[in-house]
């Protein structure tokens, strides 16, 4: 995607924390499924080993590799976003990088930005606008 205006830049920046939250949620979910299937497999093995039953779900529990691949896809997607950010950050000055990092990567609120950046809230908006203007014409997601 090529940024054609400042609003597109800001929209992309707002995707950074959402992508991180999505990645963490999916990884947590898939890890929980992997752990559940591992416990079921262990229990099934114990049941068969003790001769209590021969009917098990063993043949149907093959999804662990799929879940691990989903985790890797989530990580790759987020890593791609971060690589785009690293490339774009080289075009910005230190104030702009600090503001975007604190706001969009660390998740600080606009109210707390006054204490992190030592600028007024309004000045932080101006810095963000200046950064967005610098990034117009750049591409991401390729």
């Amino acid at each position: 995607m090529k940024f054609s205006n400042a609003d597109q830049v800001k929209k992309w920046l707002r995707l950074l924390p959402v992508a991180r939250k999505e990645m963490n949620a999916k990884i947590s979910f898939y890890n929980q499924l992997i752990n559940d299937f591992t416990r079921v497999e262990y229990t099934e093995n114990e049941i068969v080993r003790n001769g209590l039953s021969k009917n098990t779900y063993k043949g149907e529990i093959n999804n662990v590799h799929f879940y691990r691949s989903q985790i890797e896809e989530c990580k790759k997607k987020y890593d791609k976003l971060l690589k785009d950010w690293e490339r774009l950050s080289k075009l910005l000055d230190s104030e702009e990088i600090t503001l975007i990092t604190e706001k969009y990567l660390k998740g600080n609120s606009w109210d707390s930005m006054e204490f992190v950046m030592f600028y007024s809230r309004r000045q932080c908006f101006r810095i963000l606008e200046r950064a967005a203007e610098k990034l117009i014409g750049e591409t991401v997601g390729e």
Side-chain angles (χ1 to χ4, degrees):
M1 175 174 85
K2 186 173 183 176
F3 297 132
S4 60
N5 58 41
D7 288 334
Q8 285 182 337
V9 174
K10 292 176 191 176
K11 184 177 179 181
W12 183 81
L13 288 171
R14 285 190 295 269
L15 286 177
L16 293 173
V18 172
R20 186 181 74 232
K21 287 177 185 176
E22 177 188 2
M23 179 193 66
N24 289 336
K26 283 184 178 180
I27 288 173
S28 175
F29 173 71
Y30 288 129
N31 277 331
Q32 184 177 3
L33 288 175
I34 288 169
N35 290 338
D36 289 346
F37 281 135
T38 302
R39 282 194 290 279
V40 167
E41 184 177 17
Y42 176 77
T43 304
E44 293 288 325
N45 289 337
E46 287 297 311
I47 289 171
V48 171
R49 190 172 63 86
N50 291 327
L52 299 174
S53 175
K54 298 202 185 273
N55 298 328
T56 65
Y57 298 105
K58 196 147 180 78
E60 298 175 20
I61 303 176
N62 299 331
N63 297 331
V64 172
H65 296 294
F66 171 74
Y67 297 140
R68 288 195 175 124
S69 70
Q70 292 297 309
I71 289 172
E72 286 304 313
E73 283 183 34
C74 291
K75 287 180 180 178
K76 286 178 185 176
K77 180 181 174 183
Y78 189 65
D79 286 343
K80 192 174 182 180
L81 279 172
L82 288 180
K83 284 180 184 176
D84 283 337
W85 165 242
E86 288 174 13
R87 183 178 48 81
L88 293 174
S89 68
K90 293 176 183 171
L91 304 171
L92 305 174
D93 65 28
S94 62
E95 288 177 338
E96 296 160 346
I97 293 170
T98 304
L99 180 118
I100 291 171
T101 301
E102 292 293 332
K103 175 63 181 152
Y104 296 105
L105 296 178
K106 291 185 178 179
N108 287 322
S109 68
W110 284 113
D111 292 331
S112 68
M113 294 302 286
E114 294 179 39
F115 303 105
V116 173
M117 296 287 298
F118 303 110
Y119 289 116
S120 69
R121 182 179 171 141
R122 183 68 217 139
Q123 186 63 25
C124 289
F125 287 132
R126 287 186 194 110
I127 293 170
L128 176 62
E129 192 64 35
R130 188 175 67 216
E133 290 295 326
K134 286 182 182 179
L135 296 178
I136 293 173
E138 296 298 320
T139 58
V140 292
E142 294 179 352

